[in-house]
Amino acid sequence: MLELDNARDHSALGLSDEQLIDMYRKMLLARKLDERVWALNRQGRVPFVVSVAGHEGTQVGAAFALDPQRDWSLPYYRDVAFNLAMGVSAKDLFLAVFAKASDPANAGRQMPNHWSEPDLNIFSASSVIATQFPHACGVAHRLQATGSDGVVMVSSGEGATSEGDFHEAMNFAALHKLPVVFLIQNNLYAISTPEREEVAGAVAERAGGYGMPGVEVDGNDILSVYGVMAAAVQRARAGDGPTLIEAKTYRYYAHTSDDDDKVYRTAEEVELWRRKDPILVLKQYLVESRLLGEDLETEVEREVTDEVARALKEADAAPEAVDWESNVYAAPIVPDEAALDPEPEPAGETMNMITAINKTLHEVMAEYDETAIFGEDVADPKGGVFKATMGLTDAFGPDRSFNMPLAEALIIGVGVGIGAAGGRPIAEIQFADFIHPAFDQIVSEVARLHYRTNGRWKLPMVIRTPYGGGIHGALYHSQSIEAFYAHVPGLKVVVPSTPADTKGLLWSAVEDPDPVMILEPKKLYRLAQGPVPDGPHRVPIGKAALRRTGDDLTIIAYGTMAHFAVEASDKLRKEGIEAGVLDLRSLRPLDWPSIERAVRRNGKVLIVHEDNKFGGFGAEIAAQIAEKSLDWLDAPVRRYCSPEVPAFPYAATLEEQVFPSVDGIIEQARALAAY
Ligand SMILES: Cc1ncc(C[n+]2csc(CCOP(=O)(O)OP(=O)(O)O)c2C)c(N)n1
């Protein structure tokens, strides 16, 4: 257990009289702002309010132990007082409440209380409970790896400590002795659910399982909170690792303006806690210490009231938010030129796809010091289950190439934090089938960060994962996941089919300021051989490659199926059918001009993918052709995909029946050509 500094004397804690008065001012400011915001809500002027009242002692006490110049924080939605104490202005908070265009955190795109202030190292938050914990670890990992002595504070309510993200982050923070302080504000309820129905044991005791100190503190006593927090920060700064602090506190109002707390707690209970109001506790201390007389109290009260009124007025007068469309991407890509001719084979040493990946990773990591690669078993000596990351730990050290615990949400969440703190994360998910635990981090966090902050945070993250079937991988080593992720604005999704493109897309992805998911067709890891240019080689994201031209039909495919389509096209040519092959390479953004050109060229399109047909990516291509190029069609668009069974049954006799084949493509192409 961490030593709890129970000094009831602020100077013993290193706090000056002025700092103490300032703490009081910040608490009062938060309370008055809170009251004002509730009033606005009752007047029907703002739709949604999250209250801080009751938590001010915990939050201001914690903030005063941090240094916004070098420390980072990942506050949660109730942290109004924390943000004010860190230097966010009351006006900025009102801009968020009114969802105005100049709301610096969200530009009107998120509900209020979704903090973000890059200038104060306050990282953007979503509404998803607990996703911030892995982010905090990522930031801390980057700080640690770059030799900074910065500390990361991450907070939540006690309800959040039941989420997997919390536990995965605690584990990782303890493993790496990361400079993180987990601050849990236990107000006894998660909306209506009382603590006894959500937390087994005590929150602070959860630290024990991860071998880190856990401390319980009276969250309504700002001096106790400050003492514990300062000790935890000092411990983290000294390299001694993370601490979990459980601050016992209470919220005086309902969970949010949409909640009715009368149905789950009594007025007497609220009243009991009001007697321990953190503002009263500090005020009493100040009066007893002769630091707060009537004059000063009146002055502080007036100052704070004026500040709230001024901030409200200014925010109210600010222009409304109108821009809903910009900043989905940091570098939007709108393909405008169709692929006209087959891409010439590049010159270079012939190698397979997995070798190309490994060589490229060595190159990009040598080129960019800020890159870090991590995932399950990626570190040497194993170097990845497919050997894609072989030699990287030896070459670049364990801070830049490291194993992750078996926790996919953590892998992606840590990547978010590394990216936030200036790194270029390259996350490996061992098999695409196991990416699903990270769906939330990818869709809610990775893809939305740029948009939700209107471009104030960028995430140049690469997510690599082997995907697809045809290798007897059975139901859980064969899945095609592209339809899930290509659907999501904010992500870029690419699928190479040749070793050279794998290299080129990887270089482009690492250099791209947006998150890019690279789906590596693992059937092609050793099957696809080809020349790969030496040194930096970039294939533009959003650009399809015409592999074959043909006047009878065009096969549109990607990944393993593009590889098969080329083989099918060459065989079809021998029987007099000219089938063009358009290898999409990039699913989002989609190279529409090249698709359109293919449709115009021969009016017949066969879309091939190994994912099942229903709701698959081919449906998007077919729909776009129907919407935009119907008049050019000479035959209905055909889709050749796997049937509606989970991909793919294990026995060779089963898999060969459902996995799309070269012969299957040929058969479909013949029928289409004859239409
Ligand atoms: C993953 C997720 N599940 C559910 C919700 C809905 N939700 C919002 S706040 C909340 C309760 C959180 O309680 P706690 O962590 O104790 O924090 P408090 O609000 O009490 O400060 C819930 C269930 C959500 N935002 N995210």
Side-chain angles (χ1 to χ4, degrees):
M1 287 286 270
L2 193 72
E3 209 147 293
L4 205 161
D5 200 337
N6 258 329
R8 291 291 301 142
D9 177 350
H10 65 283
S11 40
L13 290 168
L15 286 168
S16 66
D17 296 352
E18 291 71 31
Q19 279 177 305
L20 210 60
I21 298 290
D22 202 28
M23 281 175 153
Y24 178 67
R25 189 179 285 113
K26 289 293 182 329
M27 288 168 81
L28 207 58
L29 179 62
R31 180 67 60 86
K32 295 235 178 260
L33 193 142
D34 201 68
E35 284 164 357
R36 202 69 195 87
V37 170
W38 276 101
L40 289 169
N41 177 259
R42 298 295 178 242
Q43 293 159 8
R45 295 189 58 205
V46 299
F48 187 69
V49 170
V50 186
S51 185
V52 62
H55 285 234
E56 297 92 339
T58 299
Q59 295 180 12
V60 176
F64 268 72
L66 295 166
D67 171 4
Q69 300 303 313
R70 57 180 162 164
D71 295 333
W72 283 66
S73 45
L74 293 90
Y76 87 120
Y77 49 82
R78 212 172 289 292
D79 275 325
V80 177
F82 176 85
N83 278 272
L84 288 170
M86 290 303 286
V88 174
S89 73
K91 181 184 170 186
D92 285 349
L93 296 193
F94 274 119
L95 286 168
V97 167
F98 286 120
K100 293 298 180 88
S102 49
D103 156 20
N106 315 289
R109 291 170 179 196
Q110 291 207 88
M111 290 167 150
N113 297 50
H114 290 68
W115 322 107
S116 164
E117 184 41 74
D119 296 342
L120 295 169
N121 296 333
I122 297 174
F123 186 52
S124 158
S126 76
S127 301
V128 189
I129 300 285
T131 49
Q132 70 271 31
F133 291 114
H135 303 172
C137 289
V139 172
H141 191 278
R142 171 91 187 141
L143 294 178
Q144 191 184 60
T146 53
S148 156
D149 69 349
V151 171
V152 184
M153 186 300 311
V154 57
S155 75
S156 78
E158 82 294 340
T161 67
S162 297
E163 289 279 3
D165 275 349
F166 169 78
H167 292 274
E168 292 178 13
M170 291 276 286
N171 180 45
F172 185 70
L175 271 173
H176 287 261
K177 279 189 144 191
L178 294 178
V180 182
V181 181
F182 295 83
L183 175 65
I184 309 304
Q185 304 179 33
N186 185 351
N187 60 18
L188 308 180
Y189 294 90
I191 307 186
S192 72
T193 309
E195 186 190 2
R196 65 176 181 280
E197 291 176 31
E198 37 164 340
V199 180
V203 171
E205 285 171 6
R206 295 190 158 183
Y210 300 104
M212 74 170 81
V215 191
E216 194 184 295
V217 66
D218 177 356
N220 284 16
D221 178 12
I222 193 165
L223 289 182
S224 295
V225 174
Y226 176 81
V228 167
M229 184 74 191
V233 168
Q234 195 181 18
R235 190 172 175 275
R237 225 186 279 299
D240 294 332
T243 302
L244 172 68
I245 298 174
E246 177 189 4
K248 298 270 196 192
T249 187
Y250 200 75
R251 66 170 151 78
Y252 296 143
Y253 300 121
H255 169 71
T256 66
S257 49
D258 291 342
D259 173 41
D260 176 10
D261 61 326
K262 288 180 201 68
V263 303
Y264 57 83
R265 60 183 196 179
T266 62
E268 290 73 36
E269 183 182 298
V270 179
E271 186 46 39
L272 216 62
W273 277 91
R274 279 219 182 250
R275 285 189 217 144
K276 294 188 273 185
D277 189 321
I279 299 181
L280 290 182
V281 172
L282 180 58
K283 188 170 152 184
Q284 194 178 343
Y285 178 87
L286 287 168
V287 171
E288 281 168 9
S289 313
R290 299 185 190 287
L291 293 172
L292 189 72
E294 249 177 56
D295 287 354
L296 185 56
E297 190 186 341
T298 314
E299 189 191 315
V300 172
E301 179 97 19
R302 187 166 349 105
E303 242 176 61
V304 166
T305 309
D306 287 353
E307 188 174 346
V308 170
R310 195 176 48 246
L312 167 58
K313 197 169 159 207
E314 286 174 15
D316 198 14
E320 300 295 337
V322 288
D323 170 13
W324 52 268
E325 62 184 332
S326 62
N327 280 318
V328 177
Y329 294 97
I333 297 168
V334 185
D336 56 359
E337 270 181 37
L340 296 177
D341 302 308
E343 294 222 333
E345 276 243 305
E349 188 190 334
T350 293
M351 63 185 77
N352 65 25
M353 189 180 273
I354 198 73
T355 307
I357 293 169
N358 183 253
K359 278 186 182 296
T360 309
L361 288 173
H362 275 272
E363 287 173 13
V364 294
M365 288 190 66
E367 179 74 19
Y368 296 108
D369 286 347
E370 67 274 25
T371 47
I373 189 154
F374 44 92
E376 292 154 15
D377 303 294
V378 305
D380 293 318
K382 178 81 177 162
V385 293
F386 292 101
K387 309 277 177 227
T389 51
M390 195 75 170
L392 293 170
T393 316
D394 291 343
F396 302 103
D399 283 340
R400 293 189 55 204
S401 173
F402 51 94
N403 284 334
M404 288 295 288
L406 227 166
E408 287 74 13
L410 177 81
I411 294 172
I412 301 301
V414 162
V416 173
I418 290 176
R424 276 181 207 255
I426 306 174
E428 178 178 299
I429 297 292
Q430 199 165 71
F431 290 89
D433 310 66
F434 310 127
I435 203 170
H436 306 314
F439 189 84
D440 185 29
Q441 283 286 350
I442 296 171
V443 173
S444 304
E445 306 295 334
V446 172
R448 283 165 198 239
L449 178 64
H450 197 262
Y451 180 76
R452 78 184 184 212
T453 61
N454 202 18
R456 290 195 82 197
W457 292 96
K458 298 194 192 332
L459 188 51
M461 180 170 180
V462 176
I463 301 172
R464 297 179 37 247
T465 188
Y467 96 108
I471 42 101
H472 312 304
L475 304 187
Y476 302 101
H477 298 80
S478 299
Q479 293 174 37
S480 291
I481 60 166
E482 68 272 23
F484 301 135
Y485 293 99
H487 179 66
V488 181
L491 290 180
K492 294 172 179 169
V493 180
V494 301
V495 191
S497 77
T498 68
D501 277 3
T502 307
K503 174 170 199 175
L505 287 168
L506 189 46
W507 263 94
S508 296
V510 168
E511 292 175 337
D512 199 283
D514 291 308
V516 182
M517 179 180 281
I518 305 183
L519 300 177
E520 299 168 357
K522 59 185 176 297
K523 186 174 176 64
L524 299 184
Y525 270 169
R526 293 191 168 80
L527 183 68
Q529 309 260 345
V532 175
D534 203 23
H537 169 62
R538 296 163 183 97
V539 166
I541 292 172
K543 190 109 203 72
L546 199 58
R547 302 281 179 216
R548 296 286 184 270
T549 51
D551 289 335
D552 293 323
L553 72 144
T554 300
I555 304 169
I556 299 179
Y558 49 90
T560 302
M561 292 303 128
H563 188 89
F564 280 12
V566 168
E567 203 179 320
S569 170
D570 291 347
K571 287 186 174 165
L572 284 161
R573 199 166 301 266
K574 288 182 191 138
E575 55 184 85
I577 296 173
E578 283 193 13
V581 176
L582 185 68
D583 178 357
L584 289 179
R585 299 197 288 205
S586 190
L587 305 187
R588 189 174 191 118
L590 184 63
D591 183 357
W592 170 252
S594 293
I595 296 173
E596 184 178 50
R597 190 180 154 80
V599 177
R600 289 187 181 208
R601 178 170 182 141
N602 50 43
K604 292 183 180 177
V605 172
L606 170 62
I607 300 163
V608 185
H609 59 61
E610 60 177 273
D611 197 4
N612 56 305
K613 189 184 282 183
F614 188 93
F617 191 74
E620 175 63 30
I621 305 169
Q624 289 206 25
I625 292 172
E627 279 173 355
K628 299 189 265 192
S629 296
L630 189 68
D631 293 348
W632 291 91
L633 285 178
D634 293 331
V637 170
R638 263 181 188 247
R639 283 182 288 161
Y640 173 50
C641 318
S642 59
E644 300 305 311
V645 297
F648 287 108
Y650 179 56
T653 48
L654 300 179
E655 190 182 42
E656 72 190 17
Q657 293 182 68
V658 292
F659 192 69
S661 63
V662 174
D663 287 347
I665 297 173
I666 290 172
E667 202 180 304
Q668 294 281 334
R670 277 191 200 126
L672 187 56
Y675 184 88

